[in-house]
């Protein structure tokens, strides 16, 4: 299965399908962190760091809800943990920007995963992998009329430069080789499977529509086959 379903040629890499493509990582630390969101929702996360991640970045895994029970049940054919690989978005996650749906997706994912047991992977891949400054440069180009993917290409970057090798390493370091994937993005499923993590099901997130992200969501649905049910929401 290819991992290049949604990528521009510059960013497209096809990972090998064997485990050597994503060598084993090891748990570095595990810390209990109580979480509280602005709307009052609260839960507790086991926040895990790692040694040996392929890209050398400081990604985090948040174990939520009955994640231990989900992991323990895998050997007996139990339901796989619910997992969301969530790419860092300072503007959306922290500042509440409505130009994307990242902040609401993060909030939704934490509650849904806590309810079912699983992991949120907080991945340091701002701007679909191009970085914070370049993402803001792309915003300026979008203000001039380009869509989110055209803007990345105009900057000489790939449409989506994210690589989920480290995400696969993190999941496997927790003793997990199959998951239910909480994501609208088919590229995440393709890459994780190519890196040795089975995807039993792809579970869509909700649709977090605002006037500011209307075009952004439409382009993600139409250009990169995100599973966004926008019918009736966008005229």
């Amino acid at each position: 299965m290819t991992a290049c379903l949604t990528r521009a040629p510059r960013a497209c890499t096809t990972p090998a399908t064997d485990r050597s493509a994503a060598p084993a990582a090891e748990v570095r630390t595990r810390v209990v962190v109580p979480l509280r969101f602005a709307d009052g929702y609260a839960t507790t996360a086991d926040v895990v760091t790692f040694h040996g991640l392929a890209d050398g970045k400081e990604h985090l895994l948040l174990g939520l809800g009955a994640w231990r029970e989900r992991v323990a049940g895998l050997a007996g054919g139990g339901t796989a943990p619910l997992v969301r690989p969530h790419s860092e978005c300072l503007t959306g996650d922290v500042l509440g920007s409505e130009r994307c749906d990242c902040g609401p997706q993060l909030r939704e994912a934490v509650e849904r995963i806590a309810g079912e047991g699983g992991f949120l992977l907080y991945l340091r891949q701002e701007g679909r992998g191009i970085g914070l400054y370049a993402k803001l440069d792309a915003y300026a180009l979008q203000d001039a009329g380009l869509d989110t993917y055209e803007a990345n290409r105009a900057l000489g970057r790939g449409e989506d430069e994210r690589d989920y090798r480290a995400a696969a390493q993190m999941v496997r370091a927790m003793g997990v080789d199959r998951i239910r994937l909480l994501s609208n993005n088919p590229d995440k499923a393709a890459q994780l499977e190519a890196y040795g993590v089975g995807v039993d099901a792809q579970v869509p997130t909700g649709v977090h529509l605002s006037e500011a992200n209307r075009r952004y969501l439409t382009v993600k649905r139409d250009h990169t086959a995100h599973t966004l049910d926008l019918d009736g929401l966008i005229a």
Side-chain angles (χ1 to χ4, degrees):
M1 181 179 293
T2 181
C4 299
L5 301 179
T6 64
R7 295 182 167 205
R10 181 181 184 276
C12 184
T13 57
T14 303
T17 56
D18 61 26
R19 291 291 180 91
S20 65
E26 297 179 354
V27 170
R28 175 180 173 273
T29 56
R30 184 180 297 166
V31 181
V32 176
V33 178
L35 307 178
R36 182 174 294 275
F37 289 82
D39 62 2
Y41 173 75
T43 190
T44 300
D46 293 298
V47 180
V48 182
T49 67
F50 299 89
H51 287 301
L53 296 180
D55 59 11
K57 295 181 180 179
E58 295 184 333
H59 306 298
L60 298 177
L61 178 148
L62 277 64
L64 296 163
W67 67 266
R68 292 177 181 83
E69 290 82 351
R70 288 293 188 202
V71 174
L74 286 174
T79 301
L82 187 64
V83 176
R84 174 166 177 78
H86 183 90
S87 297
E88 177 182 51
C89 178
L90 176 69
T91 53
D93 297 343
V94 179
L95 302 179
S97 168
E98 293 190 338
R99 293 187 67 140
C100 63
D101 56 347
C102 301
Q105 282 189 321
L106 176 63
R107 167 64 182 83
E108 174 195 1
V110 169
E111 185 169 3
R112 289 180 66 178
I113 296 169
E116 297 194 35
F119 306 128
L120 185 135
L121 312 180
Y122 199 80
L123 305 174
R124 313 303 297 272
Q125 301 180 135
E126 184 84 44
R128 295 200 302 273
I130 68 174
L132 180 59
Y133 277 21
K135 180 178 82 171
L136 294 173
D137 291 342
Y139 278 178
L141 292 172
Q142 290 169 47
D143 290 342
L146 300 184
D147 70 36
T148 181
Y149 299 108
E150 292 168 343
N152 277 25
R153 294 198 302 270
L155 293 173
R157 308 298 297 261
E159 290 184 351
D160 190 340
E161 296 189 1
R162 291 173 294 181
D163 188 299
Y164 295 98
R165 184 184 323 230
Q169 290 179 290
M170 294 160 74
V171 168
R172 293 212 316 270
M174 302 300 289
V176 172
D177 62 3
R178 60 184 179 88
I179 65 172
R180 289 177 299 128
L181 178 66
L182 181 60
S183 176
N184 303 318
N185 185 351
D187 189 43
K188 290 181 181 180
Q191 287 204 45
L192 287 170
E193 289 197 331
Y195 286 133
V197 176
V199 178
D200 287 358
Q202 185 166 338
V203 181
T205 72
V207 178
H208 303 286
L209 177 67
S210 71
E211 187 58 39
N213 70 24
R214 182 180 301 264
R215 186 186 184 202
Y216 168 79
L217 295 182
T218 304
V219 171
K220 288 209 298 184
R221 179 195 64 185
D222 296 344
H223 185 64
T224 51
H226 280 57
T227 54
L228 288 162
D229 184 3
L230 300 173
D231 293 341
L233 297 177
I234 295 180

